[in-house]
Amino acid sequence: MPALKNTLHTWSQAFREASACIGLGLRDTRHAGLWWRSGLLCMAAVLIWLGLYIYFGQFFLELSGMLALVSVTGLLGVGVLDGVGTLASGPATISQMGNITGGLGSLVKSLLSIGQIALALLALATFFYVLVFIVGAISTARLPLRSLLLGRAREVVARRYPAWQPPADLSAVVSKPSWGKRILLLLSLLIPVWAMFVLIAWLLAWNVRLVYGAAADGVLDGEQRQALSRLQGPAIFALGLMLCLLMLVPVLNLLLPAVLCTSVCHLQRRGWRKAVPVKE
C-alpha cells in the first residue's frame, strides 16, 4: 500500500506539473513572435502533406492497405479476430452435405467472419491513411523547430527565472538505471499487449524528449541533462500526453510547436529547483 500511494502521488504531481507548464507555456507564446511563427509552421506543414497526398495518392493508399493487412494478419494470429470458419477447413463431408440447415449455418458464419475481416481491413486502412498524414505533418513541423522557435522560447522563459542557477550536484540526485532493468524492458517488448503500451508511452514522450536536451543548451552538460530527464520522467510523459490531447482543440493546435518549446523550458527550470536535495 505505501508503494501504491507513493506511485499515485508521483503521477498526480507529474500531471499537475505538466498542466502548470502548459499554462505557463501558453502565456509565453504571446512574446517574441512565437504564436504567429508557430501558426505559419503548422499551416505550411499541412499544405506540404496535402500536396504529397494529392500527387502521390496511390502510393499512400497502397501503403495504408499494406499496413492494415499486416495488422489484420497479426490480429488473426493472436486470436483477436476469428478466421473464415469452415470455408478454410476443406471440402464438406457427406454428413455435412446431408444436413442442409447446418451447412447454411456454417456458410453464414463463414460469411460473417469474412465480413468482419473486411471491415477490420477497411477501418485499419483508414486509420493508417490518416495516421501517416498526421505523423508526417508533425515530423515536418518539427524539423525547423529548434532554429525557428526553441531559441526564442528559451530566451522568453529565462526572463521568468532571472536569479536561478542550476545545481552543481544534479547528477547525484537520480541514480542511473541498471543494465538489468534495461534488458528486462527490452525482453518485455516480446509480450504483445505490454509492448503496445510501452510503444504508446514512448511515442507520447518522444516529442518532448526531442527538444528536451536542446532546451538546456549552454546551461546543463550531457550528464546533468540525463539526470534531469530521469528525474522528470513521469512529468515528461504527462506533458507529452496533454500536448497530444491539445492537438484535438481547434486553433490551439496551431500553437502546439510554440507551446511544446515554452512548456519544456518551464518544466526544466521548475524541475531544476525540485532536483536540489534538501540539506539540513
Side-chain angles (χ1 to χ4, degrees):
M1 289 300 293
L4 178 61
K5 186 177 179 180
N6 291 335
T7 301
L8 292 176
H9 175 73
T10 298
W11 282 102
S12 62
Q13 187 181 17
F15 276 96
R16 286 197 301 268
E17 184 73 11
S19 60
C21 290
I22 288 179
L24 294 171
L26 279 170
R27 178 197 62 185
D28 287 339
T29 55
R30 302 173 301 165
H31 305 287
L34 290 172
W35 66 272
W36 63 265
R37 285 183 171 86
S38 178
L40 289 178
L41 180 60
C42 290
M43 289 187 288
V46 170
L47 289 176
I48 288 173
W49 277 87
L50 281 176
L52 290 175
Y53 264 56
I54 291 173
Y55 286 104
F56 303 100
Q58 185 66 28
F59 168 76
F60 289 108
L61 286 174
E62 293 176 356
L63 176 63
S64 302
M66 182 185 67
L67 293 174
L69 184 60
V70 172
S71 300
V72 169
T73 303
L75 293 176
L76 288 171
V78 299
V80 176
L81 291 177
D82 294 330
V84 295
T86 55
L87 287 181
S89 60
T93 62
I94 297 177
S95 60
Q96 289 175 335
M97 294 175 64
N99 189 353
I100 299 177
T101 304
L104 289 176
S106 300
L107 178 62
V108 171
K109 184 178 179 181
S110 299
L111 291 176
L112 289 176
S113 298
I114 294 174
Q116 180 186 16
I117 294 175
L119 287 176
L121 276 171
L122 180 61
L124 285 172
T126 304
F127 169 75
F128 284 119
Y129 189 77
V130 177
L131 182 65
V132 170
F133 180 87
I134 294 175
V135 173
I138 292 175
S139 301
T140 303
R142 189 188 301 117
L143 292 177
L145 199 64
R146 296 187 180 184
S147 59
L148 188 63
L149 296 176
L150 186 57
R152 291 179 172 85
R154 194 165 50 225
E155 293 175 1
V156 171
V157 174
R159 300 190 198 117
R160 310 288 183 181
Y161 309 87
W164 186 87
Q165 292 292 330
D169 53 353
L170 179 61
S171 58
V173 177
V174 184
S175 59
K176 296 182 180 180
S178 63
W179 281 103
K181 292 183 179 179
R182 295 175 181 176
I183 294 174
L184 287 177
L185 179 61
L186 291 176
L187 292 177
S188 68
L189 295 178
L190 300 176
I191 305 174
V193 178
W194 174 255
M196 180 184 68
F197 285 109
V198 172
L199 180 61
I200 291 175
W202 183 82
L203 288 175
L204 289 175
W206 184 40
N207 286 326
V208 178
R209 292 190 183 278
L210 278 177
V211 299
Y212 194 88
D217 283 344
V219 182
L220 291 181
D221 57 28
E223 187 176 356
Q224 288 177 322
R225 294 177 195 176
Q226 293 179 6
L228 185 61
S229 176
R230 290 192 297 269
L231 177 73
Q232 294 187 314
I236 289 175
F237 171 81
L239 183 61
L241 176 60
M242 297 181 73
L243 288 174
C244 183
L245 296 177
L246 190 64
M247 292 176 56
L248 305 177
V249 182
V251 180
L252 280 181
N253 51 14
L254 295 176
L255 300 176
L256 191 61
V259 175
L260 171 62
C261 295
T262 53
S263 60
V264 167
C265 291
H266 276 290
L267 179 65
Q268 283 186 337
R269 283 154 178 78
R270 291 164 62 89
W272 289 341
R273 292 203 301 263
K274 294 179 181 178
V276 181
V278 178
K279 298 181 179 179
E280 296 181 357

